Amino acid sequence: MKRINILILLLVLQLMAVAQVVSDSTRHEVLLETNRGHIRLVLYDETPLHRDNFLSLVRKGYYDGTLFHRVIENFMIQGGDSTTRHAQPDAVVGTYSPNYRIPAEIVFPKYFHHRGVLAAAREGDADNPERASSSSQFYIVWGKRMTDFQLDQVQARLDLTTNGSVQLTPEIRSTYFKKGGTPHLDGQYTVFGEVVEGLEVVADIQKVETNDRSRPLQDVRIIKATVLK
């Protein structure tokens, strides 16, 4: 009887391992076809509210034809305002998203703002102390590589803005040193996916010329967004 119980336990553990592999390999992916190239994103299962909201908007065609309306070199590219679909060249953009918020799903330190991650934009802490996310606006991080001295400065800033709750681990610091990103946002915005193909397109977009409101002078447009799996 004891031998049978051990065999059953081993079988259960094997099935759990297989299930984990299947789960990891079937994460939802979204393709952004832009006029500068294609960006393929994977969405994290650990942020289900953001994942499902993003998938719903993509399936409805919400992002089709919209602009990356805010672009800052060595920082990030931002989109998700549906009114930009027909925006005139000199129009002020980026102020609209559907009238609801998504509760924060900040999974730090597992997910942080290294280069290529997908995160949700939001209103500032004064009007949004819960740090809930915009219903539709998102950004893709570019950032820059950070030295130890710069990371020490960022940590001091994080100590103030997060009451010491966000600590950059040696592994995270190493990633920012080698890969780059925007560590000053860690623990304050929901990271819910990352670029798995087309990071060179993000690199290209973040360098475009912009006006004094960070809108590209030449429209950078999401032609179509599609759920791949």
Side-chain angles (χ1 to χ4, degrees), residues 31-211:
L31 180 67
L32 303 181
E33 301 175 47
T34 83
N35 60 346
R36 311 284 293 209
H38 292 182
I39 302 169
R40 184 163 61 94
L41 303 165
V42 65
L43 307 182
Y44 299 146
D45 291 334
E46 295 88 343
T47 51
L49 299 178
H50 287 73
R51 176 200 64 198
D52 292 349
N53 179 74
F54 194 69
L55 291 171
S56 176
L57 292 174
V58 170
R59 289 182 174 123
K60 291 175 182 176
Y62 177 90
Y63 294 111
D64 297 353
T66 61
L67 302 179
F68 279 105
H69 61 265
R70 182 170 177 245
V71 172
I72 301 176
E73 187 174 6
N74 293 324
F75 183 30
M76 57 89 223
I77 64 175
Q78 181 172 336
D81 177 349
S82 63
T83 67
T84 63
R85 193 172 286 114
H86 306 294
Q88 296 300 308
D90 294 329
V92 176
V93 293
T95 60
Y96 176 79
S97 58
N99 190 28
Y100 63 92
R101 290 174 174 173
I102 309 168
E105 295 179 296
I106 298 171
V107 189
F108 182 87
K110 183 173 184 178
Y111 297 129
F112 56 97
H113 283 77
H114 64 75
R115 181 167 292 172
V117 299
L118 170 70
R122 65 172 178 84
E123 295 178 1
D125 288 359
D127 298 319
N128 179 28
E130 300 84 9
R131 294 171 172 166
S133 300
S134 162
S135 56
S136 64
Q137 292 207 27
F138 66 90
Y139 58 94
I140 300 174
V141 169
W142 185 255
K144 59 183 179 181
R145 293 176 60 185
M146 309 290 290
T147 65
D148 281 335
F149 175 73
Q150 289 171 323
L151 288 169
D152 288 341
Q153 291 181 311
V154 170
Q155 184 62 70
R157 178 177 174 182
L158 287 172
D159 289 343
L160 293 174
T161 56
T162 70
N163 294 319
S165 64
V166 174
Q167 296 295 315
L168 303 178
T169 67
E171 293 77 15
I172 290 174
R173 290 174 67 102
S174 177
T175 299
Y176 283 130
F177 176 77
K178 296 176 181 177
K179 190 173 183 179
T182 56
H184 66 280
L185 301 179
D186 282 343
Q188 300 161 86
Y189 292 76
T190 297
V191 175
F192 67 100
E194 65 182 278
V195 175
V196 291
E197 187 176 306
L199 194 58
E200 72 281 359
V201 178
V202 180
D204 178 52
I205 294 173
Q206 61 93 29
K207 291 189 294 186
V208 301
E209 189 176 0
T210 62
N211 64 18

Side-chain angles (χ1 to χ4, degrees), residues 205-220:
I205 294 173
Q206 61 93 29
K207 291 189 294 186
V208 301
E209 189 176 0
T210 62
N211 64 18
D212 58 1
R213 296 185 297 273
S214 300
R215 176 180 172 178
L217 298 181
Q218 299 295 321
D219 286 345
V220 180

